[in-house]
Amino acid sequence: SSRVLWTLAVTQLRKHVLEMSLQQCPASASFFGFIGCTAALVFANLGAAYGTAKSGVGVASMGVMRPELVMRNIIPVVMAGVLGIYGLIVAVVISPNVKTPADGYLGYHGFAHLAAGLSVGLSALAAGLAIGIVGDAGVRAIAQQPKLFVAVILILIFAEALGLYGLIVALILGGKGSQGLDPTKCPYVSL
């Protein structure tokens, strides 16, 4: 009788520990980490693509009137392309750190990696929108008044800075999501 009670107590304790372990180490943690990698790359590339396309149209239009200024005014296209690199950097930094719950990858880690990916991705998307609009209008204006070159470049630099801010925050968050991986925190996940 005492052996049966002991077995029931141990079974209940194991069930309770498993439930606590699954709450701390959900299977969805890895999903959120991988979505963070994806968001970083996809949103940053959307910003880069829009900025490149929009400012490229302006460069082509301006090149019809003033072909000697085309190479000088290609700067917005280059700046937009850099935004995609920001997303790539964060995705490459995060992806090796996304583990399984059995490796101690907690919900905290998954959410930190998701936040890092969204931080750089959405910041680069916003920067790409700004660079595209300013680049298009700016290069057309420079074709008519070359003295506007410095002012347009300064505006483009401030637009690019938005993506850089997202990259900095993403690297900080990505570092936090990679600290403290401890397989002993999720010992019963593999049961």
Side-chain angles (χ1 to χ4, degrees):
S1 173
S2 64
R3 184 165 174 84
V4 172
L5 287 174
W6 179 254
T7 305
L8 281 173
V10 169
T11 303
Q12 288 296 348
L13 181 62
R14 281 186 180 171
K15 188 186 291 185
H16 179 70
V17 169
L18 178 60
E19 287 173 7
M20 294 300 291
S21 183
L22 288 175
Q23 287 176 1
Q24 188 176 11
C25 309
S28 62
S30 299
F31 168 78
F32 287 114
F34 286 124
I35 289 295
C37 293
T38 303
L41 194 60
V42 168
F43 288 129
N45 283 339
L46 281 172
Y50 180 83
T52 299
K54 184 83 169 147
S55 60
V57 166
V59 170
S61 176
M62 180 271 312
V64 172
M65 297 180 288
R66 304 281 303 270
E68 70 276 6
L69 295 179
V70 169
M71 289 311 290
R72 182 177 173 192
N73 287 318
I74 203 104
I75 294 170
V77 175
V78 174
M79 292 178 83
V82 170
L83 297 173
I85 296 171
Y86 292 169
L88 178 65
I89 289 169
V90 172
V92 167
V93 167
I94 291 174
S95 64
N97 296 315
V98 178
K99 308 285 184 192
T100 65
D103 294 326
Y105 193 76
L106 308 175
Y108 170 84
H109 300 113
F111 290 134
H113 288 147
L114 174 64
L118 289 174
S119 173
V120 72
L122 294 177
S123 294
L125 177 60
L129 293 173
I131 288 171
I133 292 168
V134 171
D136 181 25
V139 297
R140 291 173 197 246
I142 291 168
Q144 295 177 15
Q145 178 53 265
K147 291 180 182 177
L148 292 173
F149 182 76
V150 173
V152 170
I153 294 301
L154 284 174
I155 295 168
L156 288 169
I157 289 169
F158 286 117
E160 180 82 23
L162 299 174
L164 189 59
Y165 301 153
L167 174 66
I168 293 167
V169 170
L171 292 174
I172 293 168
L173 290 170
K176 287 187 177 294
S178 303
Q179 295 172 351
L181 289 176
D182 184 7
T184 61
K185 290 185 179 178
C186 304
Y188 298 102
V189 170
S190 58
L191 289 180

